[in-house]
Amino acid sequence: MTIFGSKIPDTVMKNKCSHLLSFPFLLFFLFILVFTVKTENISQELSGDIIFYDKCNNTQNPVRNAFDGNLNTYFSSCAPFGNWIGLDLKEKYIITKIVYAPRMDVVSGSDYRERLRLGVFEGANNPDFGDAVTLFVIPGNAERKLTEQEIACTKAFRYLRFVFPYAQDVNKSSYMSELKFYGYKGVGDHTKLPQITNLPTISIHTVDGRDVDSKVNYVKGIISLVYDNGTKFYTDSLEIRGRGNNSWTHPKKPYRIKLAKSVNLMELPAKARNWTLINNYGDKTLMRNILAFDFSRRLEMPYTSPSEAVDVVLNGDYKGCYQLCDHIDIRKNRVDIEEMSTADLTGGYMLEIDAYAYNSETPEPKKFTSTRYNIPVAIKYPADDEIVLAQEQYIASHFNKLADAVNSSQYKDAQYGFRKYLDEESFIRHFLVGEFSGNTDTYWSVRMWKSRTDDKFYLGPVWDFDLGFDNDNRTYPINTKANQSNEWLCFSGGSSAAGSTREFVRRIMSDEKMLLRLKEIYSYYRDRKIISKDTLLKIVDDNAELLNQSQALNFKRWPIMNLSVHQNPVVWGSYQAEVGNVRNYVANRLDWMDKKLTYTPTNRELPVVPKISLTTDKNRIFLNNQSGSEACRVQIADVCGTIITERTYITDFTYEVRSGVYIVVVTDHNAQQYTFKCLVP
């Protein structure tokens, strides 16, 4: 007998159950099989045990009201933050849809729709939600009806919850009329996970939901990171604490995180445990640090921290748009100098000229003040619990040699002057970054390092530009004042400096050869259009587009757009106007610097020769761009031509892949493409 073109052996047909293999039965059997496979993945409303945390122990409008199918009842959440409701599904399910509704009625003019805004939906497999992943954040006012939100997520969860948003008005309760989850049973994988916006999403959950309220004491927890349009997922245990000086005083807090394992987080250059989350509270463009770091890379500073804009959720509370950066430490692809033992004396060291070094609240444990210029200096490396007295004394003495050389009558001398102890190339580039960005605090905090085999101090990396780009009422408007005085910002009124660092810098810059070299360096990058008005304005516009979705949520969480916070000189009133202020500043600042440095464009074309290289090792592709030019766009495709990832990078790019053959296409700012075919072992 032949079925679907295949002959069934006679021995089968002679079997005592052969009558069951009739053609109609096989059709029926195949139909049942296909139907069963397909129905396994059909989304349906999920049920389970109601789980919740209610600080108010509400009995009048209890949690069950949110799951009773009745839009006229509701759960009332009266706590400022911390209440949540959800389901224990008993098994893992892949979630496809969330349905929710706010309190429907209007009482005494109260509209309850906005009180669910920025509420966070999470899925987890631990009952304490320590491993929770953010599924969705309600972006605006909930509609007065059942709202359906599709969820694109292949990871499976047993526990689901809605975390009520932080109450802007603590006297007003939030209400959930109805909450439903849809999905289907499955094991799940990490193929696709949700992001809050187009930016990567970082979800952090601490043990018992403890708040991060100290810059000293770490809190243990778990991080979940989703990026590359939801196709990349990383999770690890961590410790988290606060960081920063003035930035720590703001409602939106900055954080330092310490992962359990060293990793190239989001394929960033350094493999490390320690990372920072910069809050950018007073910077209403959320991009000032990004712009300054970009300018530093264009000037080819020895090391500039990468900066990735991300959305952050902490314990189910949407915290806003942050900047993921390196923690500045000693390692490859960060400050790459020699690690010290107690027997080493001459290096490497990492220091910071730091006006906060003697702060009464959080003083630096290892510090000194220079005998000349009264400059406070914190010793950042070796660490305070590792450095020995001989090393403290050596580096303080060596810094004093620099200060003495600057103060000397022979300070300009190449052999006996400040150049013996100071690298002029990094000093000038650091100076240019500070002046272009209009950073009021350029010499309030200066990072520098010294190698073991070199007597010179090198400046960098640059850091902390939230007051830059005309965002400080003490110096605003920078360009108008500069046109009147023709003076560098760091020497003008309103700018800040640690001790007498301003006079220290003024003395160095009074050397005619330093001014000549300053002009040469500036002209080099201007001539090659590495620094140009069109280029720099495009960077502003590109970041405004990148940040647009996230900024809209950020300023709902932190409604400060119409308030003057920190040192804001002007309340511009909208994100677009804030960006416009930065655009105007950048264009006018470059014009002023051209005039100040008597820059004359060259008449001949001076293209930048790209220095793009590709290497591989086990499961990794490395790209390096030392051209100092525009950011490059990289596409990585498999041997079949399917694009695996597409990212923008400037100096270094690392990407994890499986073993195989890959095509890598790099497009530079001139639209020139470089194609690499590589084998990853």
Side-chain angles (χ1 to χ4, degrees), residues 210 216-220 239-241 256-258 274:
R210 286 181 55 191
V216 178
N217 301 317
Y218 280 99
V219 180
K220 295 182 182 296
E239 294 178 288
I240 179 171
R241 65 169 173 82
R256 175 173 167 181
I257 60 176
K258 183 191 296 184
N274 290 286

Side-chain angles (χ1 to χ4, degrees), residues 188-199:
D189 57 34
H190 296 150
T191 303
K192 179 70 174 179
L193 284 90
Q195 293 179 192
I196 296 174
T197 69
N198 56 303
L199 300 184

